[in-house]
Amino acid sequence: MSDEKRKPTPEEKAAAAAEARAKAEALRKLREQEAQASQEASQVEPSQEPQEEVSAPDAKPVSEMTPEEKAAAKKAAAAEAITKAKAAKEQAEASPTSAKPVSEMTPEEKAAAKKAAAAEAIAKAKAAKEQAEASPTSAKPVSEMTPEEKAAAKKAAAAEALAKAKAAKEAKEAAEDGADTADSDADAKAKAAAAAKAKAAAAAAAKAKAAREAGGDESSDDDAKAKAAAAAKAKAAAAAAAKAKAAQATGDESPAEEAPKAPSKSQPYLDKYVSRISEAFGQEVIEASYINELGKEVPTLTIQNERWHQVAQFLKDDEQLSFEYLSDLHGVDYEDRLEVYYHFYSYKNRQSLAVKVKTSREESKVASVMDLWHGANWNERETFDLLGIHFPGHKDLRRILLPDDWVGYPLRKDYVQYDEEV
């Protein structure tokens, strides 16, 4: 940080105030000396001739002087006063001051400057005091003075007191102004530094915003990807934490040390179904096979749409399968496709099976199994009524819940109601 922008320390403020006070004191002493010199010069005026009698104790009394001697004494006193005032002014101007600003000083330089200012002020005060004591005073006692001399002495004392009071007031004001100026300069520097810092921050923010706007869609895509990645990471962390918490609740110290999960009790049945269907129609007819852990561990198959009716016939007629009962049939909308879900049961083998058949949304159709399981009649009509899936081979495919003139299929996710009043 540069010295112009750095906020002054308390020591720097104190040093600046001390320096200002020392200068003010020196100025006050100089003004006192000038006032005293002026007063001494005025005492040699013709109207104050009685005072001149005491101005030069070694010389001849004024009353005994000739006019020429009086004029010479007056001229000498004026020249002496002017010389003293000039010497005092030169001494004040020649006083050593800090050539370096306080803000740039080292701690040792600040202490030295403070000490020098104090010594200078003491020396000036002592010199002023000695000069005042050495200034010519009335050698004649007041009791011996004439009325004119007493009046002049009284007037001179009053003028001197007034000059001292004025000089003291000016010195006090100068010292206060110096301290205020130092504080004001420090505050101004601090405010300027804060303003510069705020301006730099605003410029940086504007530059960053302009860079983002100039980046266009690429930066937007990058931001979106970054946000998506962060969300996925947070989701994974939350899932891991939940899994660890569940493991601790069950008494397991570490999920990594869990024993391998035992195969499902329905796995042998699933293997049996896959084997029988693959032998009869080939492996490609089965698009997927798994144990539905969320559905009572029922073996589940996904069968090709084009081969579905043949596989359904095989499921019912094969002696090792014998799924003579269709317990349920319903449709599902997955937005990108439609599916028909079948649930079968074999009373002979006491086994269950679930089958899924996919179809597109634009030309949704799945072969009817009404000719194999008569219970599929109303289920297929309901699926057609609410999802719009057609079942070729059905003998009476028409709406079962809604009127024939109803527009649309209410269970589709893109359904928009045609009659707003209904």
Short mmCIF file of all heavy atoms in Angstrom, two decimals, residues 284-345:
data_model
loop_
_atom_site.label_atom_id
_atom_site.label_comp_id
_atom_site.label_asym_id
_atom_site.label_seq_id
_atom_site.Cartn_x
_atom_site.Cartn_y
_atom_site.Cartn_z
N GLU A 284 -33.36 -62.75 -28.10
CA GLU A 284 -33.66 -61.37 -28.49
C GLU A 284 -35.09 -60.95 -28.17
O GLU A 284 -35.39 -59.75 -28.11
CB GLU A 284 -33.39 -61.15 -29.97
CG GLU A 284 -34.29 -61.94 -30.92
CD GLU A 284 -33.81 -63.36 -31.11
OE1 GLU A 284 -32.79 -63.75 -30.49
OE2 GLU A 284 -34.43 -64.09 -31.89
N VAL A 285 -35.97 -61.92 -27.94
CA VAL A 285 -37.35 -61.57 -27.65
C VAL A 285 -37.50 -60.95 -26.26
O VAL A 285 -38.48 -60.25 -25.98
CB VAL A 285 -38.26 -62.82 -27.79
CG1 VAL A 285 -38.08 -63.75 -26.59
CG2 VAL A 285 -39.72 -62.44 -27.96
N ILE A 286 -36.54 -61.22 -25.38
CA ILE A 286 -36.57 -60.65 -24.03
C ILE A 286 -35.67 -59.41 -24.01
O ILE A 286 -34.45 -59.51 -24.12
CB ILE A 286 -36.09 -61.68 -22.98
CG1 ILE A 286 -36.96 -62.94 -23.04
CG2 ILE A 286 -36.08 -61.06 -21.60
CD1 ILE A 286 -36.48 -64.04 -22.09
N GLU A 287 -36.27 -58.24 -23.88
CA GLU A 287 -35.51 -57.00 -23.87
C GLU A 287 -34.86 -56.75 -22.51
O GLU A 287 -33.80 -56.12 -22.43
CB GLU A 287 -36.41 -55.82 -24.23
CG GLU A 287 -36.95 -55.90 -25.66
CD GLU A 287 -37.86 -54.73 -26.00
OE1 GLU A 287 -38.20 -53.95 -25.07
OE2 GLU A 287 -38.23 -54.58 -27.17
N ALA A 288 -35.47 -57.21 -21.42
CA ALA A 288 -34.92 -57.01 -20.08
C ALA A 288 -35.53 -58.04 -19.15
O ALA A 288 -36.66 -58.52 -19.37
CB ALA A 288 -35.20 -55.60 -19.57
N SER A 289 -34.76 -58.38 -18.09
CA SER A 289 -35.27 -59.30 -17.06
C SER A 289 -34.62 -58.93 -15.74
O SER A 289 -33.40 -58.71 -15.68
CB SER A 289 -34.93 -60.75 -17.43
OG SER A 289 -33.53 -60.93 -17.50
N TYR A 290 -35.42 -58.87 -14.66
CA TYR A 290 -34.89 -58.47 -13.35
C TYR A 290 -35.90 -58.84 -12.26
O TYR A 290 -37.07 -59.19 -12.55
CB TYR A 290 -34.62 -56.96 -13.31
CG TYR A 290 -35.83 -56.10 -13.61
CD1 TYR A 290 -36.62 -55.61 -12.57
CD2 TYR A 290 -36.17 -55.77 -14.91
CE1 TYR A 290 -37.73 -54.82 -12.83
CE2 TYR A 290 -37.25 -54.99 -15.19
CZ TYR A 290 -38.05 -54.51 -14.14
OH TYR A 290 -39.15 -53.74 -14.42
N ILE A 291 -35.41 -58.74 -11.00
CA ILE A 291 -36.27 -58.94 -9.84
C ILE A 291 -36.74 -57.58 -9.36
O ILE A 291 -35.92 -56.72 -9.05
CB ILE A 291 -35.53 -59.68 -8.70
CG1 ILE A 291 -35.06 -61.05 -9.18
CG2 ILE A 291 -36.41 -59.81 -7.48
CD1 ILE A 291 -36.18 -62.01 -9.50
N ASN A 292 -38.03 -57.37 -9.30
CA ASN A 292 -38.58 -56.09 -8.84
C ASN A 292 -38.55 -56.07 -7.31
O ASN A 292 -39.47 -56.56 -6.65
CB ASN A 292 -40.00 -55.92 -9.36
CG ASN A 292 -40.54 -54.52 -9.10
OD1 ASN A 292 -39.92 -53.73 -8.41
ND2 ASN A 292 -41.73 -54.25 -9.65
N GLU A 293 -37.48 -55.48 -6.76
CA GLU A 293 -37.33 -55.45 -5.30
C GLU A 293 -38.37 -54.57 -4.63
O GLU A 293 -38.64 -54.71 -3.44
CB GLU A 293 -35.92 -54.98 -4.94
CG GLU A 293 -34.83 -55.93 -5.42
CD GLU A 293 -33.45 -55.44 -5.06
OE1 GLU A 293 -33.36 -54.30 -4.51
OE2 GLU A 293 -32.47 -56.17 -5.29
N LEU A 294 -38.91 -53.61 -5.36
CA LEU A 294 -39.94 -52.73 -4.80
C LEU A 294 -41.34 -53.32 -4.94
O LEU A 294 -42.30 -52.74 -4.42
CB LEU A 294 -39.89 -51.36 -5.48
CG LEU A 294 -38.56 -50.60 -5.38
CD1 LEU A 294 -38.64 -49.29 -6.14
CD2 LEU A 294 -38.20 -50.35 -3.91
N GLY A 295 -41.45 -54.44 -5.65
CA GLY A 295 -42.77 -55.06 -5.86
C GLY A 295 -42.79 -56.50 -5.41
O GLY A 295 -43.08 -57.40 -6.22
N LYS A 296 -42.45 -56.75 -4.14
CA LYS A 296 -42.50 -58.09 -3.54
C LYS A 296 -41.58 -59.07 -4.24
O LYS A 296 -41.85 -60.28 -4.27
CB LYS A 296 -43.93 -58.62 -3.54
CG LYS A 296 -44.89 -57.76 -2.73
CD LYS A 296 -46.29 -58.34 -2.75
CE LYS A 296 -47.26 -57.48 -1.96
NZ LYS A 296 -48.64 -58.03 -1.97
N GLU A 297 -40.50 -58.55 -4.84
CA GLU A 297 -39.50 -59.36 -5.51
C GLU A 297 -40.11 -60.27 -6.59
O GLU A 297 -39.77 -61.45 -6.73
CB GLU A 297 -38.71 -60.21 -4.50
CG GLU A 297 -37.92 -59.37 -3.50
CD GLU A 297 -36.99 -60.20 -2.65
OE1 GLU A 297 -37.00 -61.44 -2.78
OE2 GLU A 297 -36.26 -59.62 -1.85
N VAL A 298 -41.01 -59.68 -7.34
CA VAL A 298 -41.66 -60.43 -8.42
C VAL A 298 -40.72 -60.47 -9.63
O VAL A 298 -40.21 -59.42 -10.06
CB VAL A 298 -43.00 -59.79 -8.80
CG1 VAL A 298 -43.63 -60.49 -10.00
CG2 VAL A 298 -43.95 -59.79 -7.62
N PRO A 299 -40.48 -61.63 -10.24
CA PRO A 299 -39.70 -61.70 -11.48
C PRO A 299 -40.39 -60.91 -12.58
O PRO A 299 -41.61 -61.05 -12.79
CB PRO A 299 -39.66 -63.19 -11.80
CG PRO A 299 -39.92 -63.87 -10.50
CD PRO A 299 -40.85 -62.97 -9.75
N THR A 300 -39.61 -60.08 -13.29
CA THR A 300 -40.20 -59.18 -14.29
C THR A 300 -39.45 -59.32 -15.60
O THR A 300 -38.22 -59.36 -15.62
CB THR A 300 -40.14 -57.73 -13.79
OG1 THR A 300 -40.79 -57.64 -12.52
CG2 THR A 300 -40.83 -56.79 -14.78
N LEU A 301 -40.22 -59.35 -16.72
CA LEU A 301 -39.66 -59.46 -18.06
C LEU A 301 -40.21 -58.32 -18.92
O LEU A 301 -41.36 -57.89 -18.75
CB LEU A 301 -40.03 -60.79 -18.71
CG LEU A 301 -39.61 -62.07 -17.98
CD1 LEU A 301 -40.19 -63.29 -18.70
CD2 LEU A 301 -38.09 -62.16 -17.91
N THR A 302 -39.37 -57.85 -19.87
CA THR A 302 -39.81 -56.90 -20.89
C THR A 302 -39.73 -57.62 -22.23
O THR A 302 -38.65 -58.05 -22.66
CB THR A 302 -38.93 -55.63 -20.90
OG1 THR A 302 -38.98 -55.02 -19.62
CG2 THR A 302 -39.43 -54.65 -21.94
N ILE A 303 -40.87 -57.77 -22.90
CA ILE A 303 -40.98 -58.57 -24.12
C ILE A 303 -41.15 -57.65 -25.33
O ILE A 303 -41.80 -56.60 -25.24
CB ILE A 303 -42.16 -59.55 -24.03
CG1 ILE A 303 -42.04 -60.43 -22.79
CG2 ILE A 303 -42.26 -60.40 -25.29
CD1 ILE A 303 -40.78 -61.30 -22.75
N GLN A 304 -40.56 -58.03 -26.46
CA GLN A 304 -40.72 -57.28 -27.69
C GLN A 304 -42.19 -57.14 -28.06
O GLN A 304 -42.98 -58.09 -27.93
CB GLN A 304 -39.98 -57.95 -28.83
CG GLN A 304 -38.47 -57.83 -28.77
CD GLN A 304 -37.81 -58.48 -29.97
OE1 GLN A 304 -38.46 -59.20 -30.76
NE2 GLN A 304 -36.51 -58.24 -30.14
N ASN A 305 -42.58 -55.96 -28.51
CA ASN A 305 -43.98 -55.70 -28.84
C ASN A 305 -44.47 -56.62 -29.96
O ASN A 305 -45.58 -57.18 -29.88
CB ASN A 305 -44.13 -54.23 -29.26
CG ASN A 305 -45.58 -53.80 -29.42
OD1 ASN A 305 -46.36 -54.47 -30.08
ND2 ASN A 305 -45.93 -52.67 -28.81
N GLU A 306 -43.64 -56.82 -31.01
CA GLU A 306 -44.09 -57.58 -32.16
C GLU A 306 -44.30 -59.06 -31.84
O GLU A 306 -45.09 -59.74 -32.52
CB GLU A 306 -43.04 -57.46 -33.29
CG GLU A 306 -42.82 -56.02 -33.80
CD GLU A 306 -41.91 -55.21 -32.88
OE1 GLU A 306 -41.38 -55.80 -31.90
OE2 GLU A 306 -41.75 -54.00 -33.10
N ARG A 307 -43.63 -59.59 -30.85
CA ARG A 307 -43.73 -61.01 -30.51
C ARG A 307 -44.60 -61.26 -29.30
O ARG A 307 -44.68 -62.40 -28.81
CB ARG A 307 -42.32 -61.57 -30.24
CG ARG A 307 -41.29 -61.26 -31.30
CD ARG A 307 -41.53 -62.05 -32.57
NE ARG A 307 -41.39 -63.47 -32.35
CZ ARG A 307 -40.22 -64.11 -32.35
NH1 ARG A 307 -39.08 -63.44 -32.55
NH2 ARG A 307 -40.17 -65.43 -32.19
N TRP A 308 -45.25 -60.20 -28.79
CA TRP A 308 -45.93 -60.32 -27.51
C TRP A 308 -47.04 -61.37 -27.51
O TRP A 308 -47.13 -62.21 -26.61
CB TRP A 308 -46.49 -58.97 -27.06
CG TRP A 308 -47.50 -59.07 -25.94
CD1 TRP A 308 -48.75 -58.57 -25.92
CD2 TRP A 308 -47.35 -59.76 -24.70
NE1 TRP A 308 -49.41 -58.86 -24.76
CE2 TRP A 308 -48.55 -59.61 -23.97
CE3 TRP A 308 -46.33 -60.50 -24.12
CZ2 TRP A 308 -48.78 -60.15 -22.72
CZ3 TRP A 308 -46.55 -61.05 -22.85
CH2 TRP A 308 -47.75 -60.86 -22.17
N HIS A 309 -47.90 -61.39 -28.51
CA HIS A 309 -49.04 -62.31 -28.47
C HIS A 309 -48.56 -63.76 -28.49
O HIS A 309 -49.13 -64.63 -27.80
CB HIS A 309 -49.98 -62.06 -29.66
CG HIS A 309 -51.29 -62.76 -29.51
ND1 HIS A 309 -51.49 -64.07 -29.96
CD2 HIS A 309 -52.49 -62.37 -28.98
CE1 HIS A 309 -52.74 -64.45 -29.70
NE2 HIS A 309 -53.38 -63.43 -29.11
N GLN A 310 -47.50 -64.08 -29.24
CA GLN A 310 -46.95 -65.43 -29.28
C GLN A 310 -46.38 -65.83 -27.92
O GLN A 310 -46.60 -66.96 -27.43
CB GLN A 310 -45.87 -65.53 -30.34
CG GLN A 310 -46.33 -65.21 -31.76
CD GLN A 310 -45.18 -65.16 -32.74
OE1 GLN A 310 -44.09 -65.64 -32.46
NE2 GLN A 310 -45.43 -64.60 -33.93
N VAL A 311 -45.65 -64.88 -27.28
CA VAL A 311 -45.08 -65.19 -25.97
C VAL A 311 -46.19 -65.35 -24.94
O VAL A 311 -46.11 -66.24 -24.06
CB VAL A 311 -44.10 -64.07 -25.55
CG1 VAL A 311 -43.60 -64.29 -24.13
CG2 VAL A 311 -42.91 -64.01 -26.52
N ALA A 312 -47.25 -64.54 -25.03
CA ALA A 312 -48.37 -64.66 -24.10
C ALA A 312 -49.03 -66.04 -24.23
O ALA A 312 -49.37 -66.68 -23.21
CB ALA A 312 -49.39 -63.55 -24.36
N GLN A 313 -49.21 -66.48 -25.46
CA GLN A 313 -49.77 -67.82 -25.67
C GLN A 313 -48.89 -68.89 -25.04
O GLN A 313 -49.37 -69.84 -24.39
CB GLN A 313 -49.92 -68.07 -27.17
CG GLN A 313 -50.54 -69.40 -27.55
CD GLN A 313 -52.05 -69.40 -27.35
OE1 GLN A 313 -52.75 -68.50 -27.84
NE2 GLN A 313 -52.58 -70.40 -26.65
N PHE A 314 -47.57 -68.71 -25.17
CA PHE A 314 -46.63 -69.68 -24.59
C PHE A 314 -46.66 -69.66 -23.06
O PHE A 314 -46.59 -70.72 -22.41
CB PHE A 314 -45.21 -69.37 -25.11
CG PHE A 314 -44.16 -70.31 -24.62
CD1 PHE A 314 -44.01 -71.57 -25.18
CD2 PHE A 314 -43.29 -69.94 -23.58
CE1 PHE A 314 -43.04 -72.45 -24.71
CE2 PHE A 314 -42.31 -70.80 -23.13
CZ PHE A 314 -42.18 -72.06 -23.69
N LEU A 315 -46.79 -68.50 -22.47
CA LEU A 315 -46.85 -68.39 -21.00
C LEU A 315 -48.06 -69.15 -20.44
O LEU A 315 -47.99 -69.76 -19.37
CB LEU A 315 -46.91 -66.91 -20.57
CG LEU A 315 -45.65 -66.07 -20.81
CD1 LEU A 315 -45.92 -64.62 -20.43
CD2 LEU A 315 -44.46 -66.61 -20.02
N LYS A 316 -49.13 -69.14 -21.20
CA LYS A 316 -50.34 -69.81 -20.71
C LYS A 316 -50.32 -71.32 -20.97
O LYS A 316 -50.72 -72.10 -20.10
CB LYS A 316 -51.57 -69.19 -21.38
CG LYS A 316 -52.86 -69.81 -20.90
CD LYS A 316 -54.08 -69.17 -21.57
CE LYS A 316 -55.37 -69.82 -21.07
NZ LYS A 316 -56.57 -69.26 -21.73
N ASP A 317 -49.81 -71.70 -22.13
CA ASP A 317 -49.93 -73.10 -22.54
C ASP A 317 -48.75 -73.98 -22.12
O ASP A 317 -48.89 -75.20 -22.04
CB ASP A 317 -50.10 -73.18 -24.06
CG ASP A 317 -51.37 -72.49 -24.54
OD1 ASP A 317 -52.29 -72.31 -23.70
OD2 ASP A 317 -51.43 -72.11 -25.74
N ASP A 318 -47.57 -73.39 -21.85
CA ASP A 318 -46.41 -74.22 -21.51
C ASP A 318 -46.65 -74.91 -20.16
O ASP A 318 -47.06 -74.26 -19.18
CB ASP A 318 -45.15 -73.36 -21.44
CG ASP A 318 -43.92 -74.18 -21.19
OD1 ASP A 318 -43.48 -74.88 -22.11
OD2 ASP A 318 -43.38 -74.11 -20.05
N GLU A 319 -46.38 -76.21 -20.10
CA GLU A 319 -46.67 -76.97 -18.88
C GLU A 319 -45.78 -76.54 -17.72
O GLU A 319 -46.20 -76.63 -16.56
CB GLU A 319 -46.49 -78.46 -19.16
CG GLU A 319 -47.49 -79.04 -20.16
CD GLU A 319 -47.30 -80.53 -20.36
OE1 GLU A 319 -46.33 -81.08 -19.76
OE2 GLU A 319 -48.08 -81.13 -21.11
N GLN A 320 -44.55 -76.09 -17.98
CA GLN A 320 -43.66 -75.67 -16.90
C GLN A 320 -43.95 -74.26 -16.40
O GLN A 320 -43.53 -73.88 -15.31
CB GLN A 320 -42.19 -75.74 -17.37
CG GLN A 320 -41.74 -77.16 -17.72
CD GLN A 320 -40.26 -77.21 -18.04
OE1 GLN A 320 -39.49 -76.40 -17.54
NE2 GLN A 320 -39.87 -78.17 -18.88
N LEU A 321 -44.73 -73.53 -17.19
CA LEU A 321 -45.06 -72.16 -16.79
C LEU A 321 -46.51 -72.09 -16.30
O LEU A 321 -46.77 -71.69 -15.18
CB LEU A 321 -44.83 -71.19 -17.95
CG LEU A 321 -43.38 -71.15 -18.50
CD1 LEU A 321 -43.28 -70.19 -19.66
CD2 LEU A 321 -42.40 -70.75 -17.39
N SER A 322 -47.45 -72.38 -17.18
CA SER A 322 -48.87 -72.49 -16.83
C SER A 322 -49.40 -71.24 -16.10
O SER A 322 -49.98 -71.32 -15.01
CB SER A 322 -49.11 -73.72 -15.96
OG SER A 322 -48.76 -74.89 -16.64
N PHE A 323 -49.24 -70.04 -16.72
CA PHE A 323 -49.81 -68.81 -16.13
C PHE A 323 -51.23 -68.65 -16.67
O PHE A 323 -51.49 -67.93 -17.63
CB PHE A 323 -48.94 -67.61 -16.49
CG PHE A 323 -47.62 -67.58 -15.74
CD1 PHE A 323 -46.44 -67.90 -16.39
CD2 PHE A 323 -47.57 -67.28 -14.38
CE1 PHE A 323 -45.23 -67.90 -15.71
CE2 PHE A 323 -46.36 -67.27 -13.71
CZ PHE A 323 -45.19 -67.59 -14.35
N GLU A 324 -52.13 -69.37 -16.01
CA GLU A 324 -53.50 -69.38 -16.49
C GLU A 324 -54.34 -68.19 -16.00
O GLU A 324 -55.47 -68.00 -16.47
CB GLU A 324 -54.19 -70.69 -16.06
CG GLU A 324 -54.42 -70.83 -14.57
CD GLU A 324 -53.25 -71.50 -13.85
OE1 GLU A 324 -52.14 -71.48 -14.43
OE2 GLU A 324 -53.43 -72.00 -12.74
N TYR A 325 -53.78 -67.42 -15.07
CA TYR A 325 -54.58 -66.34 -14.49
C TYR A 325 -53.90 -64.98 -14.74
O TYR A 325 -52.74 -64.78 -14.39
CB TYR A 325 -54.78 -66.56 -13.00
CG TYR A 325 -55.52 -65.45 -12.28
CD1 TYR A 325 -56.80 -65.07 -12.67
CD2 TYR A 325 -54.94 -64.76 -11.20
CE1 TYR A 325 -57.48 -64.06 -12.02
CE2 TYR A 325 -55.61 -63.75 -10.54
CZ TYR A 325 -56.89 -63.40 -10.96
OH TYR A 325 -57.57 -62.40 -10.32
N LEU A 326 -54.65 -64.03 -15.36
CA LEU A 326 -54.21 -62.64 -15.54
C LEU A 326 -54.87 -61.80 -14.44
O LEU A 326 -56.07 -61.51 -14.51
CB LEU A 326 -54.59 -62.11 -16.92
CG LEU A 326 -54.31 -60.63 -17.18
CD1 LEU A 326 -52.82 -60.32 -17.13
CD2 LEU A 326 -54.89 -60.20 -18.54
N SER A 327 -54.08 -61.42 -13.42
CA SER A 327 -54.66 -60.71 -12.27
C SER A 327 -54.82 -59.22 -12.51
O SER A 327 -55.69 -58.58 -11.90
CB SER A 327 -53.81 -60.94 -11.02
OG SER A 327 -52.48 -60.44 -11.23
N ASP A 328 -54.00 -58.64 -13.38
CA ASP A 328 -54.08 -57.19 -13.56
C ASP A 328 -53.47 -56.81 -14.90
O ASP A 328 -52.59 -57.50 -15.42
CB ASP A 328 -53.36 -56.45 -12.42
CG ASP A 328 -53.57 -54.95 -12.47
OD1 ASP A 328 -54.53 -54.50 -13.10
OD2 ASP A 328 -52.75 -54.21 -11.88
N LEU A 329 -53.94 -55.67 -15.46
CA LEU A 329 -53.42 -55.12 -16.72
C LEU A 329 -53.66 -53.61 -16.66
O LEU A 329 -54.80 -53.18 -16.45
CB LEU A 329 -54.15 -55.75 -17.90
CG LEU A 329 -53.73 -55.37 -19.33
CD1 LEU A 329 -54.27 -56.42 -20.30
CD2 LEU A 329 -54.30 -54.02 -19.77
N HIS A 330 -52.65 -52.81 -16.84
CA HIS A 330 -52.82 -51.35 -16.84
C HIS A 330 -51.72 -50.70 -17.67
O HIS A 330 -50.69 -51.32 -17.97
CB HIS A 330 -52.78 -50.79 -15.41
CG HIS A 330 -51.48 -51.01 -14.70
ND1 HIS A 330 -51.21 -52.14 -13.97
CD2 HIS A 330 -50.36 -50.25 -14.63
CE1 HIS A 330 -49.99 -52.07 -13.45
NE2 HIS A 330 -49.45 -50.94 -13.85
N GLY A 331 -51.97 -49.46 -18.06
CA GLY A 331 -51.01 -48.72 -18.88
C GLY A 331 -50.31 -47.63 -18.07
O GLY A 331 -50.82 -47.14 -17.07
N VAL A 332 -49.14 -47.23 -18.56
CA VAL A 332 -48.32 -46.19 -17.91
C VAL A 332 -47.75 -45.27 -18.98
O VAL A 332 -47.31 -45.74 -20.04
CB VAL A 332 -47.16 -46.81 -17.08
CG1 VAL A 332 -46.36 -45.72 -16.38
CG2 VAL A 332 -47.69 -47.83 -16.09
N ASP A 333 -47.77 -43.95 -18.68
CA ASP A 333 -47.19 -42.96 -19.59
C ASP A 333 -45.84 -42.51 -19.03
O ASP A 333 -45.78 -41.93 -17.94
CB ASP A 333 -48.14 -41.77 -19.72
CG ASP A 333 -47.62 -40.73 -20.71
OD1 ASP A 333 -46.56 -40.97 -21.31
OD2 ASP A 333 -48.28 -39.68 -20.86
N TYR A 334 -44.74 -42.76 -19.78
CA TYR A 334 -43.40 -42.34 -19.38
C TYR A 334 -42.91 -41.16 -20.21
O TYR A 334 -41.72 -40.89 -20.28
CB TYR A 334 -42.42 -43.50 -19.53
CG TYR A 334 -42.60 -44.56 -18.48
CD1 TYR A 334 -43.31 -45.73 -18.77
CD2 TYR A 334 -42.04 -44.43 -17.22
CE1 TYR A 334 -43.48 -46.72 -17.81
CE2 TYR A 334 -42.20 -45.42 -16.26
CZ TYR A 334 -42.91 -46.56 -16.56
OH TYR A 334 -43.08 -47.53 -15.60
N GLU A 335 -43.84 -40.43 -20.84
CA GLU A 335 -43.56 -39.26 -21.68
C GLU A 335 -42.86 -39.61 -22.99
O GLU A 335 -43.27 -39.13 -24.04
CB GLU A 335 -42.73 -38.21 -20.91
CG GLU A 335 -43.50 -37.59 -19.75
CD GLU A 335 -42.74 -36.45 -19.10
OE1 GLU A 335 -41.55 -36.25 -19.45
OE2 GLU A 335 -43.31 -35.78 -18.24
N ASP A 336 -41.79 -40.41 -22.96
CA ASP A 336 -41.12 -40.79 -24.19
C ASP A 336 -41.68 -42.09 -24.77
O ASP A 336 -41.35 -42.46 -25.90
CB ASP A 336 -39.62 -40.95 -23.95
CG ASP A 336 -39.32 -42.05 -22.94
OD1 ASP A 336 -40.19 -42.30 -22.08
OD2 ASP A 336 -38.22 -42.64 -23.02
N ARG A 337 -42.54 -42.76 -24.02
CA ARG A 337 -43.13 -44.03 -24.48
C ARG A 337 -44.33 -44.36 -23.59
O ARG A 337 -44.54 -43.74 -22.53
CB ARG A 337 -42.11 -45.17 -24.38
CG ARG A 337 -41.74 -45.53 -22.96
CD ARG A 337 -40.63 -46.55 -22.87
NE ARG A 337 -40.40 -47.00 -21.51
CZ ARG A 337 -39.72 -46.35 -20.60
NH1 ARG A 337 -39.18 -45.17 -20.89
NH2 ARG A 337 -39.56 -46.85 -19.38
N LEU A 338 -45.09 -45.33 -24.01
CA LEU A 338 -46.18 -45.91 -23.22
C LEU A 338 -45.88 -47.37 -22.98
O LEU A 338 -45.22 -48.02 -23.80
CB LEU A 338 -47.52 -45.75 -23.95
CG LEU A 338 -47.98 -44.32 -24.25
CD1 LEU A 338 -49.26 -44.35 -25.09
CD2 LEU A 338 -48.23 -43.52 -22.97
N GLU A 339 -46.33 -47.90 -21.85
CA GLU A 339 -46.12 -49.31 -21.53
C GLU A 339 -47.41 -49.92 -21.01
O GLU A 339 -48.21 -49.25 -20.35
CB GLU A 339 -45.03 -49.47 -20.47
CG GLU A 339 -43.62 -49.17 -20.96
CD GLU A 339 -42.57 -49.48 -19.91
OE1 GLU A 339 -42.95 -49.94 -18.81
OE2 GLU A 339 -41.37 -49.24 -20.17
N VAL A 340 -47.59 -51.21 -21.32
CA VAL A 340 -48.69 -51.99 -20.75
C VAL A 340 -48.08 -53.00 -19.79
O VAL A 340 -47.14 -53.72 -20.14
CB VAL A 340 -49.51 -52.70 -21.84
CG1 VAL A 340 -50.64 -53.50 -21.20
CG2 VAL A 340 -50.06 -51.67 -22.83
N TYR A 341 -48.59 -53.01 -18.58
CA TYR A 341 -48.03 -53.82 -17.49
C TYR A 341 -49.02 -54.96 -17.19
O TYR A 341 -50.18 -54.70 -16.86
CB TYR A 341 -47.86 -52.92 -16.27
CG TYR A 341 -46.76 -53.34 -15.32
CD1 TYR A 341 -46.17 -52.39 -14.46
CD2 TYR A 341 -46.31 -54.64 -15.24
CE1 TYR A 341 -45.17 -52.74 -13.58
CE2 TYR A 341 -45.31 -55.00 -14.37
CZ TYR A 341 -44.74 -54.04 -13.54
OH TYR A 341 -43.76 -54.41 -12.67
N TYR A 342 -48.52 -56.23 -17.27
CA TYR A 342 -49.35 -57.40 -17.03
C TYR A 342 -48.86 -58.13 -15.77
O TYR A 342 -47.65 -58.24 -15.54
CB TYR A 342 -49.27 -58.39 -18.20
CG TYR A 342 -49.72 -57.81 -19.53
CD1 TYR A 342 -48.81 -57.14 -20.35
CD2 TYR A 342 -51.03 -57.98 -19.97
CE1 TYR A 342 -49.21 -56.63 -21.57
CE2 TYR A 342 -51.43 -57.48 -21.21
CZ TYR A 342 -50.52 -56.80 -22.00
OH TYR A 342 -50.92 -56.30 -23.21
N HIS A 343 -49.80 -58.67 -14.97
CA HIS A 343 -49.48 -59.48 -13.79
C HIS A 343 -50.16 -60.85 -13.95
O HIS A 343 -51.39 -60.92 -14.07
CB HIS A 343 -49.97 -58.79 -12.51
CG HIS A 343 -49.24 -57.51 -12.20
ND1 HIS A 343 -48.13 -57.47 -11.40
CD2 HIS A 343 -49.47 -56.23 -12.61
CE1 HIS A 343 -47.70 -56.21 -11.31
NE2 HIS A 343 -48.51 -55.46 -12.04
N PHE A 344 -49.31 -61.88 -13.93
CA PHE A 344 -49.84 -63.25 -14.08
C PHE A 344 -49.57 -64.06 -12.81
O PHE A 344 -48.64 -63.77 -12.05
CB PHE A 344 -49.16 -63.95 -15.27
CG PHE A 344 -49.39 -63.26 -16.59
CD1 PHE A 344 -48.40 -62.46 -17.16
CD2 PHE A 344 -50.58 -63.44 -17.28
CE1 PHE A 344 -48.60 -61.85 -18.37
CE2 PHE A 344 -50.79 -62.82 -18.50
CZ PHE A 344 -49.80 -62.02 -19.06
N TYR A 345 -50.39 -65.10 -12.70
CA TYR A 345 -50.19 -66.02 -11.58
C TYR A 345 -50.49 -67.45 -12.04
O TYR A 345 -51.44 -67.69 -12.79
CB TYR A 345 -51.09 -65.67 -10.41
CG TYR A 345 -50.82 -66.49 -9.18
CD1 TYR A 345 -49.71 -66.24 -8.38
CD2 TYR A 345 -51.67 -67.53 -8.82
CE1 TYR A 345 -49.45 -67.00 -7.25
CE2 TYR A 345 -51.42 -68.31 -7.70
CZ TYR A 345 -50.30 -68.03 -6.91
OH TYR A 345 -50.05 -68.79 -5.80
#
